[in-house]
Amino acid sequence: MPITPLRHFLEIRSVDEDQFWGLLRLAKELKDERTRLGRNAPILDNKALALLFQKPSLRTRVSFEMGMQHLGGHAFYISPQEVGLGARESVPDVARVLSGYADGIMARVFAHEHVLQLAEWSSVPVINGLSDYDHPCQALTDMFTIWEYFGQLAGLTLAYVGDGSNNVATSLIMAAGKVGMSVRVIAPQGYQPDPDVLKQSGTDVIVTDELVAVTGADVVYTDTWTSMGQEKEREERLKAFPKFQVNEQLLSITRNPDIKVMHCLPAHRGEEITDDVADGPNSLLFPQAHNRLHAQKALLAHLLGGVPLQ
Ligand code: CP
Ligand code: NVA
């Protein structure tokens, strides 16, 4: 059975298992092609991607710009001040205007509803580059990275330590369900995943505030305790989270000397992760960041270039 093509990439929960695996395989193909030949075929020649940002970014912006360049296309950045999404101009109007200039729109927004609305009104594919609900490009990349290091995904256990209610945790829980991984979320009360996320994930998720739940995990993952847009809660969060720091002591509780440590970055070093762990032998932080380029090239090749998922 051919895999149903994706029209947009907005949230992990609306991608099916075959589509998810199709994207992972395409990412591998494009990464291998570039490693082998030093370049990718220019399948997006003459195509442009609009990069619409309501929040700051390093990885998302640069990896999409470079991804377009590698595939022979072009990307243009639009800063938060310029568009005033939903304020200076309505979301449907922005979507319809950009659709006439670009072949795709990548948007980083505060309200998830805005990225859904962009997709509803746009005539070109829309990619969610992070919203308050989901960070699907990150989760796709993370699964690609784990697959690369372990050679498999099914049967592995990922322990997410920190803010289990944020966009990155939600995306990982949903993505784990697509690939047969189990998840343990170790988070303080009040910062645990929404029950709907657990229900929709389709995998085994243990939620607890006991650190011992990291024992036997294959991967420990963390993210900032205060996400973009939550700055006013920072003091309160700093009080709730210190026990959930990923440090050498926590790694020893895993009882797995080969444990891999992941973080979507940017890291608040000394808060959710210590320097020795972030820079230590178990860290995958930088290969993970670099893989954003390869995973997103698969999205671009499929959504803008019509490359089928297989
Ligand atoms: N991980 C990630 O999305 O990083 P940026 O915020 O720098 O894009
Ligand atoms: N949860 C973080 C991820 C940053 C890439 C945030 O939303 O700020």
Side-chain angles (χ1 to χ4, degrees):
M1 276 271 282
I3 299 177
T4 312
L6 289 162
R7 168 111 177 76
H8 304 287
F9 188 67
L10 305 174
E11 45 187 35
I12 298 287
R13 68 178 166 190
S14 35
V15 175
D16 71 28
E17 289 168 29
D18 291 338
Q19 291 167 330
F20 196 84
W21 266 110
L23 288 167
L24 293 178
R25 282 190 284 264
L26 184 52
K28 179 169 166 32
E29 215 176 282
L30 292 166
K31 184 171 182 178
D32 289 350
E33 178 185 48
R34 187 155 176 96
T35 309
R36 206 173 56 248
L37 306 174
R39 56 184 301 129
N40 291 117
I43 51 180
L44 297 186
D45 178 34
N46 209 27
K47 303 247 171 173
L49 177 71
L51 302 175
L52 185 59
F53 279 91
Q54 283 196 305
K55 299 178 184 180
S57 168
L58 171 64
R59 281 145 290 273
T60 305
R61 177 187 174 170
V62 180
S63 54
F64 270 111
E65 282 200 18
M66 291 311 298
M68 283 302 287
Q69 189 173 316
H70 286 182
L71 297 174
H74 171 75
F76 58 95
Y77 172 79
I78 310 162
S79 71
Q81 297 77 13
E82 278 168 291
V83 171
L85 194 68
R88 179 173 185 264
E89 196 155 0
S90 78
V91 179
D93 285 1
V94 171
R96 285 177 288 183
V97 170
L98 282 177
S99 297
Y101 302 144
D103 303 281
I105 302 170
M106 194 289 320
R108 168 166 285 193
V109 299
F110 285 97
H112 188 61
E113 185 54 33
H114 279 172
V115 85
L116 298 181
Q117 238 184 330
L118 279 172
E120 186 186 336
W121 288 91
S122 161
S123 58
V124 298
V126 174
I127 298 171
N128 179 1
L130 180 147
S131 66
D132 57 1
Y133 171 72
D134 213 314
H135 195 359
C137 296
Q138 185 68 55
L140 179 69
T141 303
D142 296 337
M143 291 303 162
F144 179 66
T145 306
I146 298 171
W147 182 38
E148 203 171 41
Y149 277 81
F150 288 85
Q152 64 177 90
L153 289 170
L156 297 179
T157 299
L158 180 142
Y160 181 96
V161 183
D163 182 2
S165 65
N166 78 8
N167 43 13
V168 169
T170 299
S171 321
L172 283 169
I173 294 168
M174 294 287 181
K178 310 288 169 200
V179 297
M181 262 171 83
S182 23
V183 182
R184 300 178 195 159
V185 180
I186 298 105
Q189 301 286 341
Y191 299 97
Q192 295 183 339
D194 189 299
D196 279 345
V197 171
L198 301 180
K199 240 181 277 156
Q200 290 166 14
S201 82
T203 192
D204 241 11
V205 188
I206 293 171
V207 180
T208 174
D209 57 6
E210 297 292 335
L211 298 183
V212 70
V214 301
T215 306
D218 299 290
V219 176
V220 164
Y221 197 115
T222 191
D223 181 16
T224 178
W225 296 333
T226 308
S227 286
M228 292 180 277
Q230 298 173 334
E231 288 77 8
K232 282 201 191 113
E233 300 168 26
R234 181 168 156 78
E235 290 312 313
E236 194 185 325
R237 286 169 171 268
L238 281 178
K239 285 187 208 133
F241 282 100
K243 172 180 144 187
F244 301 86
Q245 183 184 65
V246 175
N247 52 30
E248 287 294 351
Q249 163 67 17
L250 182 111
L251 295 197
S252 74
I253 305 175
T254 66
R255 296 184 191 279
N256 176 0
D258 298 322
I259 187 83
K260 299 290 181 219
V261 178
M262 300 180 74
H263 188 312
C264 57
L265 300 177
H268 295 73
R269 286 165 175 258
E271 291 183 15
E272 75 275 5
I273 193 163
T274 53
D275 284 335
D276 49 356
V277 170
D279 301 327
N282 302 83
S283 170
L284 288 189
L285 269 57
F286 297 101
Q288 177 186 3
H290 298 158
N291 274 338
R292 290 290 300 275
L293 176 65
H294 307 290
Q296 290 160 195
K297 278 202 273 191
L299 286 172
L300 295 169
H302 177 59
L303 293 170
L304 274 64
V307 175
L309 298 179
Q310 285 169 340

